Amino acid sequence: GKSVWWTWTAPANGRLVVVTAGSSYDTVLAVYTGSRVDQLRQVAANDDVSRSDMTSRVTISVRAGTTYRIAVDGYQGAAGSIRLVGTFTAKTALAAPTNVSGSLNSSGVFRATWTPVAGAATYEVTVRSVTRTYAIARTPTASVALRMRIPANETVVVTVRAFDVDMDPGLPSADRPVA
């Protein structure tokens, strides 16, 4: 074909929208990662935005420092002038969970709760002492119950971190001591 290629490196984690609206022909758009032609991995591709709109559009999540290779070609060999527009939106880190608390009951069940974080898809909870990690668990809710044995004289801390739908971590909560 008569493809034209561009490279773009993401300055931060976020979202990239690439469109060929305004091009003079029926475009085919694809985005790849990889440094060699024989090792490219397709991230997204689009032929037509709709039946009536022959331009192309892709929306992808991008990672900081990753180089993306953007290819525009013509459907069935079509050619003409290309108008390529990319719009990048940086992702902001999720806030740290607040109001973290934890307790261990006499049955050996450790319960931790916290205030939910807007935009969080899952949470990672770590229960540890100075010398050992007792548990690391993932949960979609703002609480967790874990069965564990912690010596009566040991103080543990619980730390909670929120993750968004792309599994990008937010800021960790402050360590909360639990006697």
Side-chain angles (χ1 to χ4, degrees), residues 67-91:
T67 298
Y68 295 86
R69 302 183 190 291
I70 303 164
V72 176
D73 206 343
Y75 179 73
Q76 293 186 341
S81 63
I82 300 170
R83 181 170 186 262
L84 186 71
V85 176
T87 305
F88 169 71
T89 306
K91 181 182 286 188

Side-chain angles (χ1 to χ4, degrees), residues 31 34 36 40 45 90 95 135 140 146 160 164 169-170 172:
V31 179
R36 293 181 20 188
L40 293 179
L146 305 165
V160 181
D164 65 17

Side-chain angles (χ1 to χ4, degrees), residues 152-176:
N153 62 345
E154 182 127 50
T155 298
V156 296
V157 294
V158 60
T159 306
V160 181
R161 181 176 288 221
F163 288 79
D164 65 17
V165 71
D166 296 321
M167 293 308 296
D168 287 332
L171 302 171
S173 68
D175 289 343
R176 296 290 182 232

Side-chain angles (χ1 to χ4, degrees), residues 18-87:
V18 181
V19 296
T20 62
S23 296
S24 67
Y25 64 103
D26 185 356
T27 59
V28 178
L29 172 65
V31 179
Y32 302 87
T33 56
S35 56
R36 293 181 20 188
V37 172
D38 62 336
Q39 295 177 341
L40 293 179
R41 184 181 71 80
Q42 188 178 79
V43 177
N46 179 254
D47 180 14
D48 298 329
V49 170
S50 68
R51 285 188 158 177
S52 61
D53 185 349
M54 302 301 172
T55 59
S56 306
R57 174 187 178 112
V58 296
T59 301
I60 60 172
S61 293
V62 296
R63 295 263 179 221
T66 300
T67 298
Y68 295 86
R69 302 183 190 291
I70 303 164
V72 176
D73 206 343
Y75 179 73
Q76 293 186 341
S81 63
I82 300 170
R83 181 170 186 262
L84 186 71
V85 176
T87 305

Side-chain angles (χ1 to χ4, degrees), residues 85-173:
V85 176
T87 305
F88 169 71
T89 306
K91 181 182 286 188
T92 55
L94 293 176
T98 58
N99 301 316
V100 176
S101 65
S103 63
L104 181 66
N105 69 21
S106 59
S107 302
V109 175
F110 181 85
R111 294 191 188 284
T113 61
W114 54 91
T115 302
V117 173
T122 60
Y123 299 91
E124 181 180 85
V125 180
T126 304
V127 181
R128 62 182 166 71
S129 69
V130 172
T131 59
R132 138 173 211 210
T133 298
Y134 284 95
I136 298 174
R138 290 267 170 131
T139 178
T141 62
S143 66
V144 68
L146 305 165
R147 183 168 295 284
M148 63 182 70
R149 289 194 178 142
I150 300 173
N153 62 345
E154 182 127 50
T155 298
V156 296
V157 294
V158 60
T159 306
V160 181
R161 181 176 288 221
F163 288 79
D164 65 17
V165 71
D166 296 321
M167 293 308 296
D168 287 332
L171 302 171
S173 68

